[in-house]
Amino acid sequence: MRDIRSIIIAAFVILLTACTSKFEEIRPTSFELVSVSPQGLGGIAATVEIGIHNPAPGFELSGVEALVRFKGRDAVLLEADDMLVEGRSDKVYNVPLTGRLAENFNPFELLQLIGSEVDMSEITLSFKARATLRSGLGKDIEYKDIALDKLLENL
């Protein structure tokens, strides 16, 4: 009886380890800013396409928030609706974003921020969300001040 318990526990640990390694392999594969449009004086609506390589089971991203900083100052605060990421797939997702300009950010600087001549090393991104499996297990994900040029290099 004791041997059976040990075998079951060992199998369970191996299974958890195998599942965990799959989750570590999830990564973005592409990113494209599709559209940006103003919403009133301080609001913004944007659509991005992000490719995701997911060898793990499907999960839901909720509470997605991002902060874009430009030259060390808060620029744009963004939110996205909850989204499902399909399991064991490579797929491009169309993600609508809504947001607002930070209090001390000049709306005319937004034009410089999305212009083609902007220095990507001056833009950083902070991101947080909650990833939840269908079983209800979840994990909070948070990245702070990732340089946009370095992030785009890895895609």
Side-chain angles (χ1 to χ4, degrees):
M1 188 70 164
R2 190 173 200 199
D3 291 333
I4 292 174
R5 279 191 210 150
S6 298
I7 292 171
I8 291 172
I9 290 171
F12 186 69
V13 168
I14 291 170
L15 178 65
L16 284 177
T17 305
C19 290
T20 303
S21 68
K22 294 284 186 192
F23 284 105
E24 292 172 356
E25 295 175 22
I26 297 172
R27 62 181 170 79
T29 57
S30 63
F31 178 84
E32 183 177 347
L33 180 62
V34 177
S35 68
V36 177
S37 62
Q39 301 289 311
L41 293 176
I44 188 170
T47 303
V48 296
E49 286 183 347
I50 184 163
I52 298 177
H53 169 72
N54 181 18
F59 58 93
E60 179 181 14
L61 278 178
S62 59
V64 178
E65 297 177 357
L67 170 64
V68 179
R69 298 186 71 163
F70 184 55
K71 297 181 180 179
R73 296 183 12 239
D74 292 356
V76 181
L77 307 162
L78 297 167
E79 294 179 346
D81 292 335
D82 296 354
M83 65 180 277
L84 291 173
V85 176
E86 292 181 19
R88 296 170 185 82
S89 67
D90 286 296
K91 187 173 176 183
V92 176
Y93 295 90
N94 194 5
V95 182
L97 302 168
T98 57
R100 65 189 192 302
L101 298 177
E103 286 183 29
N104 295 327
F105 191 71
N106 184 340
F108 294 108
E109 286 181 288
L110 182 62
L111 297 173
Q112 183 182 3
L113 181 65
I114 60 175
S116 60
E117 296 178 17
V118 67
D119 181 9
M120 292 293 185
S121 66
E122 295 179 330
I123 302 172
T124 61
L125 178 70
S126 296
F127 168 86
K128 71 177 181 177
R130 178 157 182 86
T132 309
L133 296 173
R134 289 190 178 122
S135 65
L137 295 173
K139 177 176 170 101
D140 292 330
I141 303 166
E142 187 170 359
Y143 296 98
K144 291 189 175 188
D145 293 327
I146 302 169
L148 192 59
D149 60 341
K150 300 228 189 299
L151 181 65
L152 294 175
E153 279 176 11
N154 294 326
L155 297 181

